[in-house]
Structure formats: C-alpha cells, structure tokens
Amino acid sequence: KSRSKGSDGEWLRTVVSSGTLGDKIAALTLQVQESPVHQVKALDLLLAMTKKKGRRESVMAIDTLKDLWLQDLLPENRKLRTFAQQPFESLAEGGGRKRLILWHFEDLLKARYAEFVSSFERLLGDSLPEIRNKALGSIYDLLSERPEQEQFLLRLLVNKVGDPDRKIASKASHLIRCLVNKHPNMKMVVTQAVEYLLYRPNIGVKAQYYSICFLNQMVLGQQDTELAIKLITIYFSFFKSFVAKGEVETKMLCALLTGINRAFPYVKGNDEMYNEQFDTIFRVVHISSFNTSVQALMLLLQVMSSRQSVSDRFYQALYTKMLDPNLCTSSKQAMFLNILFKSMKTDTSLARVKAFVKRLLQVCCSQHPSLVCGSLFLVSELLKIKPGIKSLIEQSEDNDDEEHFVDIPDDDDDDESPSARQPCAPCPERYDMKHRNPLYCHAERSCLWEVTGLSGHYHPSVSHFANLLQKGEPIQYNGDPLQDFTLMRFLDRFVYKNPKTKAKGKVCEDMLACIT
C-alpha cells in the first residue's frame, strides 16, 4: 500500500509539473482533498493560478477552488479564527500539540481564503460580461453557503448593481434578493450595504434606481419595524432631493413612492416623518405622471387612514385625477380603483360619494370594456356598504329646479319690464359636473343617467353589468374584470377553442357522398 501510495504521489507530481492545464488543476485538487493540513503548498499553487493573466486558467482555478472551499475546507456554521483568537486555556485538557497544529493550519486557511476572494475584484472588472457573470455566481454561492468574508463578498455583490451592463446589474440585484430570501436575518446588513452604495459619491442615477428597486421589493414582516423605518428614511431623503431638482417625471420617483407604500404598514405608528412631506406629496399628485400620482395618492390614503382623518384636500385631488386621460393606458388601473373604493368606503359624506360614483361612470363612457366592467363591479360592491347611493337610481330628479327661458321681445314691445326680457338664471343647486370640489357639486340632486348609456354598450358584459346595476341587483363575478375582459383575453378564447366535431353519422354520409 505504501508503495502504491508513493507511486500515486509521484504520478501526481509529474502531472502537476508537465501535464495539461486541466490535469494540473485536477491533480492539485486531489492532493488538497487527500490531506489539507499537509498540502498547503498545493493550495498555494491553485491560488497562484487565479492571479494569472490568462482568463481561461484563472476562471478554471477559481471554479475549482470555490468547490474546494465549500466542500472540504470551510466550516459551515462559523467563521475561521486566527491563531491569536484560539482558546489557549483549553490546552490544559491535553492534546495540545495536535491542537496547535490545527490552529496554525486554520490561521493559514483564513489568510489564503482572504487572498482567494480578493481575486473576484479583478474578475468583476473584466471587460467581458461572461466573466463578470460567472464571478457573480461564484460570489453568491460562497456568500449564501459560508459566513467567512461575508462583508467583503457582500460589498462586491452590491457594487455590481451599478454595473454599466444592464444584464449584469439585473443579475446582481436578483442574486441579492435570493440571498435575502435564503437568509432573512441578513436584511438589515444587506440594506446597510445598499445604503452605502446609494450615498457613494459619483454614483450614477441608473445604479441608484436599481438599488431603490431592490429595496422596495424586499419582503418585510411584522418584526421588521426598525428596518421599515430605515427604508422610509432612505426613500424620503431621495424623494426630497428629486423633488427639489424638479425631476418629478422620472421612474425613480415612482419607485420611491412604491417603497414608501410598502414599508408604511410596518412602521407601527411612527408616522411623524410624513407631516413635513404632505405638501410635497400633494404637489407630486398634481404635476407628475399618472402612475406616480397614483402611488402618491396611495401613500396619502394610507397615512390619513392610519390617523382616521382623510382630509377634503385628498378627496379633491382624487376627484380631479379621475379625469386624467392617461387612465386609459395606465398600468395602475387596479391600484387606482382600489384607492377609489377605499376612499369612498370610509367617506362619511354620502353626497361626496355620489359625486365620485357619477364621475366614475362618466369617465367609463370613453374607456375600454375591461376598465368599465371593473368600475361597474366597484359601484355594485359599494352599494352593499352604502345603500344610500341607490337613491341615484331609484329616485327621479326634481323638476322644480329646471331652467326656464323666455323669448326675447321685439323692439317695438316697450311695455314689458326689463326683468322680463332677461332669461331666468339657472338654479345654483343643480348638479355641476365641472365643479372642482365633489362635496359641493350637488350630485345628490341628480340621477345616475350614465348607467342608461352603458346598458346599451357594444360589449355584452358591460351591458349586462349595467343592466344589473340599473335594476338594483348585485353583480356576481369571481374573476378579475381588468384582466378577463381585455382584447387579448377575448382573442385567446378563439386561439384555444376546441374545433367543432361533426356527428359520426354525418361524417359517414359525407364520405359516401364523396365516393358516389
């Protein structure tokens, strides 16, 4: 056996000195796996290969060493210790010489692992995206499996969120998200690393945007109050900066508001930070794009609902935003309808709720069937909570307040008084659809005439929903109207529809007719 081992060792040394690159790496790996304590020199040779200028040799050595560190050399549940950190008081128990050798070997491993992970910094700066992509995968494997050098590896991974290549930046963000999902206790550590990147000087706006997108997609729990406060602090610092610059039409502002909305439920009453930003958020509602305005409205509604005092200013801003022409093509239609429903459900003024219902159905007259069906379903659900809205359907308008006009008298008719020559002014208490404030547009003095027009809609589902609403019956629907009644879903029915099959007797008759 000793002779065979000696011959094997001699053969491995021959391969290391004169074999191909793949054979050299395999031989060195086998030597380290057989006896790591006695083969530190073989480990040093593999580390030297990672520093070579040739990409192929360097990448092959790094891949091999990564597997070697994970499977054979690194402990699973703790970090490596230096020789000075070892518990020397335990030497009195016996076996001191062997322990000292192992402690010295662990000290050597710690130094060499730090040298190994530093080679990733060079690979991440390579000009080829494939090399950077491969290095990111190796960093994630080491970071997710072993705690050694996690701060350095995490910094390398987070820094690539700002990579000029969009694919590399996207993969880095994805790997960080996977890391947080696998190790939820690292949320705060990862957030601090991303925060350091955000406030780094000379950082690009694109890198900041990718970082904010990662933060606003982080899954929070009830125990993450401190993390939620930290996230909101980061969001508001950038929010104030972008609004001060006048950059309210950017995707960054929408991402910031999304993050604030997602973190707010976990703050648990610490909402004083919102007070000084109310005017700015209302300003964003009026001057920014529709999607950004919806996010701002959602934030305002959450904060005010937590205080149980939704202001008239919010209702007026929401009432105005319903006329935005971008509602038709927006990707936030579901969120906007959700804001409308929550706002009307908690509103104590029935007259204002009626004004919102009338304007919503007025807007539906020029929208796609999917949005119209969703709006009609919303009104039907609202009728269950606020039955007083049914008066718009069941009661007729008063005719006492109709406008009265008289003919203009002839020039030779001088007997009439000047007051008789003027038409009567319209009653100021009639419904005014152009009024800015829904509380004073007198919608309660009108009827829901808009449903009559929708009942004759070309789309059968819209017509059916409108007829049910006109009769005062609830709309029973378990799906998502915004998705189920789109044009693509309608065309998919024809694509996946089974072909018609003829009866067996009919097929036989057709075959006989063809033969004869």
Side-chain angles (χ1 to χ4, degrees), residues 193-258:
V194 176
E195 182 185 14
Y196 178 79
L197 174 67
L198 284 169
Y199 291 108
R200 201 174 66 185
N202 301 324
I203 188 70
V205 178
K206 184 182 292 186
Q208 290 179 333
Y209 175 70
Y210 284 142
S211 301
I212 293 296
C213 287
F214 162 74
L215 291 178
N216 66 24
Q217 293 175 14
M218 187 178 294
V219 180
L220 301 176
Q222 296 298 330
Q223 71 280 3
D224 296 326
T225 303
E226 183 180 355
L227 178 60
I229 294 175
K230 186 174 187 62
L231 288 174
I232 290 178
T233 304
I234 296 173
Y235 296 145
F236 268 125
S237 65
F238 280 90
F239 179 79
K240 290 187 287 186
S241 174
F242 275 81
V243 173
K245 296 177 184 177
E247 300 177 3
V248 295
E249 296 290 341
T250 60
K251 295 187 294 184
M252 172 68 88
L253 200 63
C254 187
L256 290 170
L257 290 171
T258 302

Side-chain angles (χ1 to χ4, degrees), residues 390-446:
K390 291 183 179 180
S391 61
L392 292 174
I393 304 173
E394 298 172 351
Q395 298 179 4
S396 60
E397 293 187 13
D398 297 332
N399 295 325
D400 298 338
D401 297 329
E402 290 186 355
E403 300 180 17
H404 299 281
F405 297 92
V406 296
D407 295 334
I408 298 177
D410 297 333
D411 295 336
D412 54 354
D413 191 1
D414 299 331
D415 297 335
E416 296 186 9
S417 61
S419 60
R421 300 177 184 177
Q422 300 294 332
C424 295
C427 179
E429 293 186 355
R430 289 185 60 81
Y431 170 61
D432 184 7
M433 63 180 297
K434 297 181 180 180
H435 204 286
R436 294 179 58 189
N437 196 330
L439 196 59
Y440 303 107
C441 67
H442 304 292
E444 69 277 4
R445 302 185 65 85
S446 178

